[in-house]
Amino acid sequence: HLGDCPICCLPLPLDGKASSLMACCSKQICKGCGYTNAIREINEKLVERCPFCRHPTPKTQEEAMTNLMRRVEANDTAALREFGTRCHSKGDHVSAIEQWTKAAELGDADAHYQLFCVVKDTKKAINHAEQAAIGGHPGSRFNLGSNEFQSGKVERAIKHWIIASNHGHDDSLRMLRESYNKRFVGKEDFAAALRAHQAALDATKSPQREAGEAFYANQNE
């Protein structure tokens, strides 16, 4: 559901830590492209810029927030969602829901998922979960499957988990494995899910991303 990195055009991993949202252009850039760009700038002694739009990297948090708010004012869904998340982390839940609602109305699957997590009205929450799942959000698809399973609708739950697992969602594959052990899932269906899950993970890998992960991991030690 995250789409592809706009630079290398490979699918973005589901792990949010494997990519970064650029406040200047609201593009989600994978660590591989971020790393490659950073190494080039270091070697050539260039000014740090966004790998995608080439906007100078903000030097302060205030400058970064100014860039983000420009995108929010332009009704950029990724910026609205990110601003909502920041509001939520500061305890401003009203503003968070307002921003997520704007992004959701513009079709952002992640915003629908965030609303699913915080909306108290069960019907509205499920509606947001369904909209997020339709938008390709595997975490939401997983939760819908769990709800169906708890309601005794095992076949519907399995279908949700298979779809999510095919996008590389680990928890969904775990539930399919447990369901297979309990004979709720056939051998062929489980084997197909395993292959699809691995294929989804493999599609997100590249030498640049592996180098980037190692580079940033060493920086954080």
Side-chain angles (χ1 to χ4, degrees):
H1 75 292
L2 294 176
D4 300 339
C5 171
I7 297 176
C8 66
C9 297
L10 292 177
L12 288 166
L14 296 182
D15 181 4
K17 296 179 181 179
S19 60
S20 300
L21 180 70
M22 301 292 106
C24 46
C25 58
S26 296
K27 298 298 183 184
Q28 199 80 21
I29 307 299
C30 75
K31 276 189 175 181
C33 291
Y35 163 75
T36 302
N37 182 67
I39 293 300
R40 183 182 65 86
E41 290 173 342
I42 292 171
N43 292 339
E44 299 180 18
K45 298 180 180 180
L46 301 174
V47 174
E48 293 184 17
R49 295 180 180 274
C50 169
F52 183 79
C53 72
R54 312 312 298 167
H55 189 281
T57 301
K59 294 182 172 60
T60 64
Q61 288 294 327
E62 290 76 13
E63 187 179 348
M65 180 57 72
T66 298
N67 291 340
L68 177 65
M69 293 311 297
R70 288 198 188 101
R71 301 305 306 160
V72 169
E73 291 168 4
N75 283 329
D76 184 293
T77 57
L80 289 166
R81 177 185 3 105
E82 174 64 18
F83 184 45
T85 301
R86 295 190 183 194
C87 290
H88 189 266
S89 66
K90 294 178 180 179
D92 187 357
H93 299 162
V94 173
S95 295
I97 291 175
E98 179 183 343
Q99 299 303 318
W100 287 335
T101 299
K102 287 181 181 179
E105 289 174 349
L106 293 170
D108 188 85
D110 271 314
H112 274 296
Y113 181 71
Q114 294 296 344
L115 289 168
F116 159 70
C117 294
V118 300
V119 170
K120 295 181 180 180
D121 185 291
T122 302
K123 287 186 177 180
K124 289 183 178 179
I126 293 299
N127 179 63
H128 283 300
E130 290 174 346
Q131 292 301 313
I134 290 171
H137 196 290
S140 188
R141 181 74 68 178
F142 167 77
N143 285 323
L144 286 174
S146 298
N147 289 340
E148 296 285 13
F149 191 84
Q150 291 173 4
S151 299
K153 300 175 182 177
V154 177
E155 289 186 8
R156 289 175 64 87
I158 297 300
K159 289 180 180 179
H160 281 302
W161 291 333
I162 287 176
I163 293 172
S165 179
N166 289 350
H167 284 86
H169 193 256
D170 293 337
D171 285 339
S172 293
L173 182 65
R174 174 176 56 80
M175 291 307 298
L176 287 174
R177 180 176 285 107
E178 291 182 9
S179 298
Y180 171 69
N181 291 336
K182 295 177 181 178
R183 297 185 179 180
F184 293 143
V185 179
K187 183 177 181 180
E188 291 184 3
D189 288 338
F190 181 55
L194 282 172
R195 290 192 296 270
H197 179 269
Q198 188 60 52
L201 296 182
D202 290 343
T204 67
K205 296 178 180 179
S206 73
Q208 291 80 10
R209 290 183 178 183
E210 292 177 1
E213 288 176 6
F215 175 76
Y216 292 117
N218 290 333
Q219 281 194 329
N220 293 329
E221 289 181 354

